[in-house]
Amino acid sequence: MAEEKPNHRVRPLIAADEIARRVDELAAQIDRDYAASESLVVIGVLKGSVFFFTDLVRRLSIPVRIDFFQTSSYGTGTTAGEVRIKRDIDLSVRGRDVLLVEDIVDTGWTLKTILDLFRFRGAASVKLCALLDKHEAREVEVPIAYCGFRIGKDFVVGYGLDYDERHRNLPYVGVVEFTEDEA
Ligand code: 5GP
């Protein structure tokens, strides 16, 4: 099958070594904050957080359990009540500390829904670690306990994030710039 001509390019925004340094800092902070916890479950939200999750968890020295959760939203964009569970976690979170690891918080609806769900299931505590925070796009407030970088409203890809399932394997985060004239 012929490869489609790309109608966009990716402008680098956050370099791989910058990401690695920030992941180190976040892991050190999480190690300190959960030093007394004997029940931490780190939950990666698939698929976008996959590289961030694996890099972060490998840098932790505290004992952790890991699990994965996947959502999808109906239609385009995310609004209240539209978040659907595609893959649930295997572990019980009852009485345990939960740290959710997400790629990006945009409107906030996805994360608000997941955080509320784990609280409802009886987690002892639920906190959020997000690589990217698109703060200006927020529609519902979600506290980000551990935030990698604050960015603008541009659509970004790389380091796990996709555009139509492409670019997840880029080692850096970049902004998608559309070049319709070239299509
Ligand atoms: P929210 O519910 O906060 O609006 O949306 C969160 C989800 O939307 C993220 O987990 C991600 O899948 C997707 N998303 C939001 N902004 C971007 C972006 O700039 N790039 C990519 N690749 N996905 C995004």
Side-chain angles (χ1 to χ4, degrees):
M1 198 169 71
E3 189 66 21
E4 277 172 56
K5 204 171 170 198
N7 65 345
H8 65 278
R9 57 181 157 238
V10 181
R11 173 172 52 83
L13 182 67
I14 309 170
D17 58 346
E18 227 179 310
I19 296 173
R21 271 199 303 276
R22 190 71 189 115
V23 174
D24 270 343
E25 290 170 358
L26 292 174
Q29 210 180 329
I30 292 166
D31 261 348
R32 280 197 298 275
D33 293 355
Y34 288 93
S37 170
E38 284 169 12
S39 66
L40 180 62
V41 185
V42 188
I43 300 175
V45 185
L46 295 171
K47 299 176 195 172
S49 77
V50 63
F51 301 122
F52 179 44
F53 178 90
T54 52
D55 285 347
L56 183 76
V57 172
R58 280 180 300 172
R59 283 168 168 87
L60 297 176
S61 31
I62 49 170
V64 297
R65 292 178 175 85
I66 64 167
D67 212 333
F68 296 97
F69 192 81
Q70 190 169 15
T71 63
S72 66
S73 52
Y74 298 104
T76 52
T78 321
T79 51
E82 285 193 322
V83 179
R84 193 160 54 98
I85 300 176
K86 245 175 133 176
R87 185 214 184 268
D88 205 347
I89 51 169
D90 298 320
L91 298 173
S92 165
V93 294
R94 181 161 298 279
R96 290 177 169 159
D97 295 316
V98 167
L99 180 64
L100 269 172
V101 177
E102 172 67 305
D103 50 3
I104 187 164
V105 185
D106 186 20
T107 64
W109 285 115
T110 304
L111 264 302
K112 179 174 172 20
T113 307
I114 306 176
L115 291 167
D116 287 351
L117 175 69
F118 291 134
R119 286 194 187 106
F120 175 78
R121 289 179 177 177
S125 70
V126 185
K127 279 193 191 175
L128 171 62
C129 174
L131 176 70
L132 304 170
D133 176 10
K134 270 190 187 176
H135 199 74
E136 292 165 45
R138 199 75 85 253
E139 290 176 12
V140 60
E141 212 37 64
V142 281
I144 306 179
Y146 308 96
C147 172
F149 303 91
R150 261 197 184 194
I151 60 167
K153 283 183 172 179
D154 292 329
F155 192 84
V156 291
V157 292
Y159 197 56
L161 289 142
D162 76 309
Y163 170 52
D164 209 10
E165 289 304 325
R166 295 183 58 202
H167 306 306
R168 289 195 196 275
N169 60 323
L170 288 176
Y172 58 89
V173 170
V175 173
V176 172
E177 292 182 336
F178 290 95
T179 53
E180 290 299 344
D181 48 317
E182 290 174 22

